[in-house]
Amino acid sequence: MSTIQPVRGTHDLIGEDQRRYAHVVSTARHHAGLYGFEEWATPIFEDTRVFSRSLGDTSDVVSKEMYSFSDRDGESLTLRPEGTAAICRALVTNGLTQSLPQKVFYAGPMFRYERPQKGRYRQFHQIGAELLGAAEPLADVEAIALGYQILTALGVADDVTLELNTLGDTASREAWRAALVSYFSGYKDKLSEDSLIRLEKNPLRILDSKDANDRALVANAPMMEEHLTPDAKAFWLDLRQTLDGFGIAYQINTSIVRGLDYYNHTTFEFVTRKLGSQGTVMAGGRYDGLVQQMGGPEVPSIGWAAGVERLSMLLEAAPAVPQSVVIVPVGAPDNAAVFKILQSLRQQGVRVEIGYKGSLRKRMERAGKQNASHVLFLGEDELARGAFRVKTMASGQEQEVSHDRLLSDAKAVFAASGDTSL
Ligand code: ATP
Ligand code: MG
């Protein structure tokens, strides 16, 4: 029978891939905790409106990339393409809009129907942080600082640049939008078909176009900066001064409009040159109106999401397989006595492995492959004497350890003989 292949754009996380993935997520989770973010887990599928209402009909995600389907009741459901809209939905439906601010961390798979390539998949994973219910620029800085601290802890901060922009407040955007419409309307013959639609529906989105002709027009388009209201200008200045105070370097990039409709004021991306055109590893911004779109009150918020696969690719090396102690029975010792020792070591927090069968030579070979820190030989003689041989693999040295010590103080036994992982 033919083998069934994984679905295009999906991948298994096994071995080194899984260790990279787990390292990125656990590092992020740890640092998010230091900043007071609590983890939430929301469902992998939602009512389609959670995304269609919030991300905007003309966003790439909603118009081309969503995995939407009708369930057996005919209800339209969507595999989540991103986390923020679902977190806002959860804030509202769990009645948490009265307990603000909420600082939320999440990690999990996301789904987008994209053309798969390096760093771009149909099922990928994100970590994300959302600070809900804080209108001050200091909140933006804290969110960015957390992102930067995670990138630093992963050892990739030197590979990335923080690019920052402002989209202003509603009034600034209205003025800018009008200026963009009048500018692009003069080039209707040159705009791509997609951008002609965007011109009608959401002209800001033209700035995000990947079409080469569009890009050339975008280069001379009116700038947001010229249309900022005094309030929006003050916010923008405060943000940059506070970032300077935190010692976080950034570059202003006026083309960062982000692909989704819900952003205002701050938008930012951490970008690397190391991953070709999939160079954005972490991206986010302020979304003061999103919770309202989910049927809640106005909850000014800021957040970001990062692609775990892209961060995994940037890691210098995959974390090593943790070392373990391998038990090698010699001859035919009493099983019950062997299991007693095996379980006692595990209960004491020592990683222990035992092969189910095989000659002494085979078992020693396997211990080598398993990257064993120690081998503990258990034979009939040793069991009778109440003392066992422990071989430290790095040095090749052997020592005798008493039964009592093994059952009461195993960690010290192995740590003393040169294994730092215990
Ligand atoms: P891009 O411009 O690369 O398509 P995006 O603007 O669509 O990214 P966001 O929606 O902001 O991305 O998602 C945040 C992060 O999630 C991205 O910066 C990226 O690291 C990661 N990401 C997004 N889409 C994918 C994907 N299809 N495969 C892998 N990672 C992804
Ligand atoms: Mg995209």
Side-chain angles (χ1 to χ4, degrees), residues 61 65 81-82 112 114 119-122 124-126 210 258-260 263 269 277-278 280-284 305-310:
V61 173
E65 298 173 0
E82 59 111 53
R112 297 185 192 180
E114 301 212 61
R120 190 175 293 287
Y121 313 99
R122 291 185 174 174
F124 61 101
H125 298 81
Q126 283 185 340
K210 295 189 169 119
R258 310 287 311 122
L260 312 175
Y263 290 108
E269 294 187 356
S277 52
Q278 270 60 255
T280 305
V281 293
M282 183 181 279
V308 178
E309 284 77 4
R310 293 186 195 178

Side-chain angles (χ1 to χ4, degrees), residues 304-344:
W304 54 256
V308 178
E309 284 77 4
R310 293 186 195 178
L311 289 173
S312 295
M313 283 192 279
L314 281 185
L315 292 182
E316 194 67 58
V321 180
Q323 289 200 299
S324 59
V325 173
V326 174
I327 292 186
V328 172
V330 184
D334 173 40
N335 267 342
V338 172
F339 292 149
K340 191 172 165 211
I341 293 173
L342 178 70
Q343 287 307 82
S344 163

